[in-house]
Amino acid sequence: MECRIEKDTMGNVKVPIDAYYGAQTQRSVENFRIAQDINRMPKEIIRAFAYLKMGAALANKDAGVLSQEKCDLIVRVCDEILDGKLDDSFPLVVWQTGSGTQTNMNVNEVIAYRGHVLNGGKLTDEVKILSPNDDVNKSQSSNDTFPSAMHIAAYKMLRENTIPALEMLHKSLIMKSREFMPIVKIGRTHFMDATPLTLGQEFSGYAAQLEYGIHALKSTLPHLAELALGGTAVGTGINTPDNFGENVARKIAQLTGLPFVTAPNKFEALATHDAIVSTHGALKGIAVSLMKIANDIRMLGSGPRAGIGEIHLPENEPGSSIMPGKVNPTQNEALTMIAAQVMGNDVAISVGGANGQFELNVFKPMIIYNFLHSARLIGDGCRSFNDNCVIGIEPVKENIKKHLDDSLMLVTALNPKIGYYKAASIAQKAYRENKSLKQAAVESGLLTAEDFDNWVDPSKMVGNI
């Protein structure tokens, strides 16, 4: 492979001749050969850095510390990064320094060297118009750029993918709840028969679970919108123009159309990732809800003849390579696996958030990698579950009626009339002798057939609907 020589403070390094990055990126490629084929830094972080570097260049230009010419070049390259034109220039993996310094420098080098080429220069030129450290990284440190990129990427993912998908699924569950509200069915607790409710009431519980989760997730967004930029190395803001933090946050907000602001305490913004931990905690809570919802729905649809079979799930693909005609609840299975993965990611994020020493958390790449993974999985998973399962669910009314009529727990309606213990004796007699509840009740001599019909009416046992 043909190479050129680049150098940094540690000496010379051979770099691929046509690569837009320099010595520090190449050192990271060589020193961190860890899952390089599967664990590259997420593209959302690279895009976030493009917004960040563009905002910083504009703020530096306004402060009079960066020329218009250099600012324009930085902005042009950042636009190319946002368009995905330079994706191959970001080869680094998540498993690097815990501050994300190598990724910050990777971005700095790509912007500087690509800007030099856009200005008519060559990658082999020893002196370039833009300096990665002195121009692209001006008024910044990896310690405040990487956490800012984390927040930009996380906020955008939630706003553009995760929350819209959750709201779509929530709306579909509400619609199904309303559609199914008149359908009286038997309830189940402990996997055993319980008193009746409606299928719509059951689905209303699922909708409420998501509503609470969405509310909890949205409540974390203001803290997530706070950017560490302006804190530089340890939070003091050394080597920044006056009001740089406020100005660059304003620029980034304008560029993204999102309400980013400067973090009120830069020491907290560099040393901790409590905002990410808290927000992912809300994602974990949603994952718990999705696990319950998906499991309930697949069990209600189990069968079709040897299970509960009270709802029919859409048939999307063959379910077996050996059993003809078999169809499985595949969307439910995918969503429960997603939920399990998010719960696992939460453990990693919690461990990462609790670590780091003094003025800097040093688990940043791992934390944001897992966060973006969870947010993407939940967004994509909810959209798939909604489109390929929930909107096509139909009740199987004959099975619902059969289970309702056969249930012994309708005897609960007799408690106020004959008392708990006498009602229990009727249920036990019906079960032991394999008789209907009505037959056992009449044979007990505790009530007449007319009394049973008047007192045991499932439609009157479901509350107000």
Side-chain angles (χ1 to χ4, degrees):
M1 180 176 64
E2 192 174 2
C3 296
R4 69 179 194 270
I5 300 298
E6 292 288 345
K7 62 182 179 181
D8 58 14
T9 56
M10 297 184 69
N12 294 339
V13 179
K14 289 183 178 180
V15 176
I17 194 164
D18 58 350
Y20 282 119
Y21 52 77
Q24 292 203 43
T25 300
Q26 186 63 33
R27 289 190 193 280
S28 185
V29 170
E30 295 173 2
N31 293 336
F32 297 97
R33 298 186 184 277
I34 307 170
Q36 289 184 333
D37 57 333
I38 59 172
N39 283 168
R40 286 196 177 187
M41 188 63 65
K43 64 181 181 181
E44 292 85 3
I45 285 291
I46 303 303
R47 304 290 193 271
F49 262 106
Y51 284 117
L52 183 159
K53 296 297 180 180
M54 193 185 307
L58 292 167
N60 281 323
K61 186 259 296 181
D62 290 349
V65 297
L66 186 70
S67 71
Q68 182 72 57
E69 179 186 18
K70 290 183 176 182
C71 177
D72 289 345
L73 285 173
I74 291 171
V75 169
R76 284 181 64 188
V77 180
C78 288
D79 281 334
E80 290 190 347
I81 293 172
L82 291 172
D83 289 339
K85 295 178 179 178
L86 300 174
D87 285 353
D88 291 342
S89 299
F90 303 100
L92 303 190
V93 293
V94 171
W95 318 113
Q96 55 172 273
T97 178
S99 61
T101 298
Q102 280 93 37
T103 288
N104 180 45
M105 282 308 304
N106 182 197
V107 175
N108 289 335
E109 289 177 345
V110 170
I111 293 173
Y113 295 177
R114 175 59 179 163
H116 180 69
V117 171
L118 289 175
N119 195 56
K122 298 178 181 179
L123 288 173
T124 52
D125 293 340
E126 184 173 351
V127 178
K128 298 177 174 66
I129 188 172
L130 289 174
S131 163
N133 290 81
D134 293 333
D135 296 321
V136 185
N137 200 61
K138 184 177 286 293
S139 310
Q140 303 153 63
S141 161
S142 298
N143 296 353
D144 67 349
T145 59
F146 201 90
S148 296
M150 291 170 69
H151 280 216
I152 294 168
Y155 198 103
K156 280 179 63 63
M157 177 68 80
L158 293 177
R159 276 297 183 194
E160 296 172 5
N161 184 337
T162 314
I163 292 175
L166 284 166
E167 290 177 334
M168 176 192 297
L169 179 57
H170 176 243
K171 181 179 179 181
S172 294
L173 289 170
I174 290 175
M175 292 174 63
K176 286 298 175 182
S177 174
R178 292 170 180 167
E179 178 186 343
F180 299 158
M181 198 58 73
I183 303 173
V184 180
K185 57 160 285 179
I186 199 65
R188 295 177 179 86
T189 60
H190 304 270
F191 259 116
M192 308 298 283
D193 296 356
T195 57
L197 76 167
T198 74
L199 187 59
Q201 289 173 327
E202 198 165 38
F203 270 69
S204 76
Y206 307 148
Q209 279 186 277
L210 275 196
E211 182 178 0
Y212 299 147
I214 293 168
H215 176 75
L217 182 59
K218 286 183 176 180
S219 71
T220 68
L221 292 181
H223 195 188
L224 201 62
E226 296 173 359
L227 303 183
L229 276 167
T232 59
V234 297
T236 60
I238 188 173
N239 293 347
T240 60
D242 291 342
N243 301 314
F244 180 76
E246 291 80 1
N247 293 337
V248 72
R250 191 179 304 112
K251 298 290 186 184
I252 294 170
Q254 292 169 352
L255 292 167
T256 61
L258 296 171
F260 292 114
V261 296
T262 193
N265 188 303
K266 302 299 189 298
F267 306 101
E268 184 270 344
L270 272 63
T272 81
H273 285 298
D274 291 353
I276 295 281
V277 172
S278 297
T279 304
H280 196 273
L283 290 175
K284 183 198 72 174
I286 289 169
V288 169
S289 296
L290 293 174
M291 180 76 82
K292 169 68 162 59
I293 292 166
N295 274 332
D296 274 14
I297 287 175
R298 72 168 157 182
M299 285 185 282
L300 287 172
S302 62
R305 294 188 176 180
I308 294 175
E310 292 185 345
I311 60 176
H312 180 265
L313 306 183
E315 299 176 355
N316 297 321
E317 61 271 317
S320 172
S321 62
I322 190 173
M323 293 176 281
K326 194 173 193 299
V327 179
N328 295 328
T330 52
Q331 290 294 322
N332 306 66
E333 291 166 3
L335 194 60
T336 53
M337 287 191 286
I338 286 169
Q341 183 65 58
V342 172
M343 293 177 203
N345 288 349
D346 193 69
V347 174
I349 288 172
S350 297
V351 171
N355 272 283
Q357 294 74 40
F358 305 116
E359 278 64 62
L360 189 69
N361 176 285
V362 290
F363 279 67
K364 298 182 191 301
M366 183 276 289
I367 289 172
I368 194 59
Y369 175 77
N370 282 283
F371 183 97
L372 293 172
H373 189 206
S374 293
R376 175 73 179 273
L377 283 176
I378 288 178
D380 290 358
C382 284
R383 194 170 287 108
S384 180
F385 186 61
N386 178 81
D387 295 348
N388 299 303
C389 182
V390 172
I391 61 176
I393 292 174
E394 298 292 342
V396 183
K397 293 183 179 179
E398 56 272 26
N399 284 350
I400 290 173
K401 186 177 188 307
K402 181 181 184 302
H403 294 153
L404 181 65
D405 292 343
D406 288 348
S407 176
L408 301 179
M409 288 305 99
L410 298 180
V411 77
T412 307
L414 297 179
N415 284 4
K417 306 297 183 181
I418 63 175
Y420 177 90
Y421 294 103
K422 291 178 180 178
S425 70
I426 292 173
Q428 291 162 357
K429 174 181 173 65
Y431 182 69
R432 285 195 309 269
E433 300 176 12
N434 195 27
K435 295 178 178 179
S436 71
L437 192 62
K438 182 176 180 178
Q439 184 180 358
V442 174
E443 289 179 2
S444 73
L446 295 171
L447 65 160
T448 66
E450 183 179 3
D451 289 334
F452 186 91
D453 290 339
N454 288 334
W455 295 343
V456 183
D457 182 350
S459 66
K460 295 178 181 178
M461 300 173 67
V462 297
N464 297 320
I465 59 175

